[in-house]
Amino acid sequence: METIMSARCRLLLAVSLLGVASVALAQDLPENMPKRKPGLWEMQSTGMGGQPQVMKLCLDESTDRDMYKMGAQMSGHVCSKFNVSVQGSTVVSEAVCRVDGPSGPINLTTHSETRFDGNTSYQTQGHMTYDPPVMGRSEMAMNSSGRWVGECPAGQKPGDMVMPNGTTMNIKDMQRH
């Protein structure tokens, strides 16, 4: 049972991160992309009918930029289409991607709108469709939000992300592997 839950959590996390970070997956980012304030960010996402997933990320300007670059590299490998536009304080993205799932390739189509409130918070509403269905679902609404909560705690460095289960990983380290 733990293996099934672990696989489900990994898949949910991967799908959630794709949805939450969909803005960062553009190959050519608009010059006027909103920037997030350096410090500790709390990000919450909901989808697939489960409990909200909360992650914390220690962010600086370099890490924010590197996350966009990492997303651009990922999108070039898995997305046949990715459009991003900035309309005032709203970033609209649409993508068609092919990702590996537990039972084979999954065609994923997404549309999301992220509204920034200055550089200290954002709200994202998105919709994803899957072909073939994932865990019995062919579509999912995804809502996420992020808010700046203060300075990064002592001992955390930019790129450190605390996952919902308490595990910490560093996004910058992931880029090196």
Side-chain angles (χ1 to χ4, degrees), residues 2 49 59 66 79 88 104 108 111 117 119 132 135-136 141 148 151 167:
E2 185 174 321
L59 189 69
D66 289 348
C79 298
L108 174 66
H111 173 88
D117 184 12
N119 66 352
M135 296 167 49
W148 183 83
E151 299 300 318
T167 303

Side-chain angles (χ1 to χ4, degrees), residues 9-10 12-14 16-17 20 42-46 51-57 161-169:
C9 288
R10 281 194 307 271
L12 177 60
L13 180 60
S16 296
L17 286 174
V20 170
E42 183 177 87
M43 300 170 296
Q44 182 174 7
S45 64
T46 58
Q51 294 294 321
Q53 299 290 307
V54 178
M55 296 176 277
K56 292 188 177 181
L57 171 65
M161 179 181 281
V162 180
M163 306 307 283
N165 66 2
T167 303
T168 299
M169 56 191 249

Side-chain angles (χ1 to χ4, degrees), residues 138-160:
S138 60
E139 62 183 304
M140 177 176 69
M142 171 70 73
N143 294 305
S144 63
S145 61
R147 67 183 181 98
W148 183 83
V149 293
E151 299 300 318
C152 295
Q156 273 195 351
K157 63 183 186 224
D160 280 352

Side-chain angles (χ1 to χ4, degrees), residues 47-50 129-141:
M48 296 195 82
T129 58
Y130 311 101
D131 181 26
V134 174
M135 296 167 49
R137 297 183 74 152
S138 60
E139 62 183 304
M140 177 176 69

Side-chain angles (χ1 to χ4, degrees), residues 29-120:
L29 294 169
E31 292 289 323
N32 57 344
M33 282 292 290
K35 292 179 178 44
R36 294 178 288 178
K37 183 175 182 173
L40 185 64
W41 279 77
E42 183 177 87
M43 300 170 296
Q44 182 174 7
S45 64
T46 58
M48 296 195 82
Q51 294 294 321
Q53 299 290 307
V54 178
M55 296 176 277
K56 292 188 177 181
L57 171 65
C58 180
L59 189 69
D60 65 0
E61 187 176 331
S62 169
T63 304
D64 206 17
R65 185 177 54 251
D66 289 348
M67 286 177 66
Y68 288 132
K69 287 179 185 176
M70 187 169 107
Q73 291 170 349
M74 287 171 41
S75 70
H77 292 61
V78 299
C79 298
S80 61
K81 171 188 172 186
F82 205 101
N83 297 322
V84 172
S85 64
V86 178
Q87 302 161 3
S89 62
T90 301
V91 177
V92 178
S93 64
E94 295 180 320
V96 176
C97 306
R98 186 172 176 100
V99 296
D100 290 329
S103 301
I106 300 168
N107 295 311
L108 174 66
T109 303
T110 68
H111 173 88
S112 68
E113 295 185 15
T114 302
R115 289 177 178 75
F116 284 82
D117 184 12
N119 66 352
T120 59

